[in-house]
Amino acid sequence: MTYIALPELIENFALFDDWEARYQYLIELGEQVEPMDDAFKTEATEVKGCVSKVWLHHARDAAGRFHFLADSDGKITRGLVYVVLAAYQDKSAEEIRAVDIEAEFEKLGLSENLSPNRRNGFFAMVERIKALAV
């Protein structure tokens, strides 16, 4: 699956005047996340620090690019999974380290509209990915 690039996601979020519309768009993005087989939803792949259950599985190809499968039991959190995957899917460790996700998160307008728990969950996913890219 191909995810919308972050610059395009930022443009799309800017089209919405109110946060309810942004929430709806986030939920719609979550519905597009590549399905994750239940076999990958284990203690080892569970991302700690999220209120909703979140799982993140990874593999690397021969070129060293990371491919992620992720899922959540929360609709809005699943939308945040989409944003994380849009930022990091099929990138090398160097490319992952180069993403300024905090700046991108601000540009999306998510920081002022998400609960602290959802924000913490988002960055827990990011930290898991960055730890793999060292």
Side-chain angles (χ1 to χ4, degrees), residues 1-57:
M1 172 179 180
T2 303
Y3 292 89
I4 298 171
L6 282 178
E8 188 177 340
L9 269 181
I10 291 165
E11 287 177 20
N12 292 350
F13 271 94
L15 296 173
F16 300 109
D17 293 332
D18 66 6
W19 185 238
E20 288 302 316
R22 287 182 179 172
Y23 263 143
Q24 187 57 45
Y25 181 57
L26 201 55
I27 290 168
E28 289 170 13
L29 290 173
E31 293 169 354
Q32 298 173 41
V33 171
E34 183 179 350
M36 182 181 205
D37 191 292
D38 286 344
F40 291 118
K41 295 178 182 178
T42 65
E43 181 74 24
T45 63
E46 188 175 342
V47 178
K48 307 297 184 214
C50 301
V51 173
S52 298
K53 290 262 191 191
V54 176
W55 301 272
L56 178 69
H57 172 77

Side-chain angles (χ1 to χ4, degrees), residues 4-125:
I4 298 171
L6 282 178
E8 188 177 340
L9 269 181
I10 291 165
E11 287 177 20
N12 292 350
F13 271 94
L15 296 173
F16 300 109
D17 293 332
D18 66 6
W19 185 238
E20 288 302 316
R22 287 182 179 172
Y23 263 143
Q24 187 57 45
Y25 181 57
L26 201 55
I27 290 168
E28 289 170 13
L29 290 173
E31 293 169 354
Q32 298 173 41
V33 171
E34 183 179 350
M36 182 181 205
D37 191 292
D38 286 344
F40 291 118
K41 295 178 182 178
T42 65
E43 181 74 24
T45 63
E46 188 175 342
V47 178
K48 307 297 184 214
C50 301
V51 173
S52 298
K53 290 262 191 191
V54 176
W55 301 272
L56 178 69
H57 172 77
H58 76 282
R60 286 180 90 168
D61 66 15
R65 298 196 174 279
F66 287 87
H67 182 77
F68 299 100
L69 292 175
D71 200 358
S72 174
D73 62 358
K75 289 181 178 183
I76 292 172
T77 305
R78 201 157 200 263
L80 294 173
V81 164
Y82 184 101
V83 173
V84 168
L85 294 177
Y88 297 114
Q89 189 70 284
D90 298 324
K91 290 191 168 32
S92 68
E94 285 179 58
E95 290 169 318
I96 287 171
R97 289 191 302 267
V99 174
D100 184 355
I101 197 67
E102 290 182 16
E104 301 301 323
F105 191 79
E106 291 294 323
K107 290 177 192 172
L108 287 166
L110 295 175
S111 61
E112 66 270 6
N113 294 302
L114 285 179
S115 69
N117 289 335
R118 285 196 178 112
R119 187 181 195 292
N120 291 343
F122 178 87
F123 284 103
M125 288 185 275

